[in-house]
Amino acid sequence: MNYILLGPPGAGKGTQAKKIVERFSVVHLSTGEMFREAKRSERIISELLTSGQLVPDALVIDMVKKYFVKDYMKKGFLLDGFPRTVRQAEKLNVILKSESIKIDAVFFIDICFEEAIKRIAGRRVCSCGASYHITALPPKEVGKCDVCGGRLVQRNDDREDTVRDRLSVYEKQTKPLVEYYSKAGLLIDIDGLKDESNVFEQISRKIKI
Ligand code: AMP
């Protein structure tokens, strides 16, 4: 099984990806995670992420293509945050074709912009990977991670003005992928406004193993 998660920032792609990987044991490829890691050492990536802009396609493809070699992805994968432009999707097709790999479906988790802003601006994360929301999913102790006791912080790109920029980047550069994958007969609409477990059920029902 090979799947793609598509949707605006705040749709819950990261949260759902964790659940899917746990239940179906597939390889999780999150370009956002990779770039957050890379931004520690690369200033240009740090600036792009902080301003909510996309990393250039060529750089993304270069980073991602090495994962598609030989057996690594063969037990199935979930792409989260990639592709993010039609150009990336076209490049991905070329890579997949050369490795004789097919995408089974693209889950489009949709939410409205108001909800995205509400969700992202309240998100707090810990360096251990745990994620909270100040009202919807607060930690037991304010500012402290339930899992490891670490300090919770707001991601730079989660500040409200940056979120608005990210949403407008999404609308212009990523939303065209909805039509792209719909035309390819791969798109499955998921109602992202429902709660986390309902969204997971909607997705799980469509996953074929
Ligand atoms: P995410 O965690 O998926 O929201 O990604 C965080 C940031 O990483 C995005 O706002 C972009 O700056 C960058 N990024 C992640 N994936 C991609 C991609 N496929 N193409 C371009 N930029 C990306």
Side-chain angles (χ1 to χ4, degrees):
M1 53 163 272
N2 302 317
Y3 295 101
I4 294 176
L5 283 182
L6 180 65
K13 296 187 296 294
T15 308
Q16 294 300 326
K18 273 193 199 125
K19 286 169 162 281
I20 295 166
V21 168
E22 229 174 83
R23 162 97 63 98
F24 299 100
S25 306
V26 284
V27 174
H28 178 204
L29 211 92
S30 160
T31 43
E33 289 294 327
M34 291 176 197
F35 288 129
R36 272 189 287 284
E37 206 41 54
K39 96 175 194 188
R40 293 173 213 267
S41 53
E42 299 196 32
R43 222 186 78 206
I44 180 78
I45 294 195
S46 170
E47 282 169 9
L48 287 167
L49 260 70
T50 306
S51 65
Q53 300 302 306
L54 293 186
V55 175
D57 288 337
L59 232 154
V60 179
I61 298 294
D62 218 47
M63 184 182 70
V64 161
K65 70 177 179 208
K66 54 181 175 278
Y67 290 92
F68 287 91
V69 292
K70 305 297 163 230
D71 290 340
Y72 182 69
M73 306 289 257
K74 289 275 154 61
K75 70 171 186 170
F77 58 78
L78 179 71
L79 304 183
D80 159 15
F82 172 82
R84 220 150 165 140
T85 63
V86 170
R87 189 160 167 71
Q88 289 179 20
E90 287 166 350
K91 289 277 183 194
L92 174 65
N93 278 345
V94 175
I95 297 170
L96 294 176
K97 209 165 171 192
S98 73
E99 296 292 329
S100 306
I101 301 172
K102 278 207 160 79
I103 296 292
D104 294 294
V106 176
F107 296 111
F108 172 45
I109 311 178
D110 201 13
I111 57 166
C112 56
F113 279 16
E114 298 74 51
E115 179 68 13
I117 290 167
K118 206 166 79 189
R119 286 186 188 180
I120 302 179
R123 179 159 64 189
R124 298 292 180 271
V125 295
C126 177
S127 59
C128 77
S131 183
Y132 301 85
H133 188 278
I134 49 174
T135 54
L137 188 65
K140 291 191 188 97
E141 201 177 316
V142 177
K144 204 168 164 188
C145 178
D146 292 350
V147 181
C148 72
R151 195 170 69 89
L152 300 182
V153 295
Q154 184 175 42
R155 265 167 53 180
N156 276 340
D157 60 343
D158 279 353
R159 295 181 203 288
E160 189 166 335
D161 48 346
T162 312
V163 174
R164 288 187 190 279
D165 292 342
R166 285 166 68 196
L167 287 168
S168 111
V169 165
Y170 166 80
E171 193 66 22
K172 284 197 205 93
Q173 304 197 53
T174 307
K175 192 88 186 280
L177 285 174
V178 173
E179 199 187 331
Y180 179 89
Y181 283 120
S182 175
K183 276 191 180 147
L186 290 172
L187 200 81
I188 296 179
D189 283 302
I190 302 292
D191 180 358
L193 288 174
K194 295 279 189 311
D195 68 40
E196 208 177 290
S197 53
N198 180 297
V199 172
F200 182 54
E201 276 316 304
Q202 293 179 60
I203 296 174
S204 311
R205 274 202 297 273
K206 302 283 183 185
I207 290 184
K208 296 185 185 80
I209 33 172

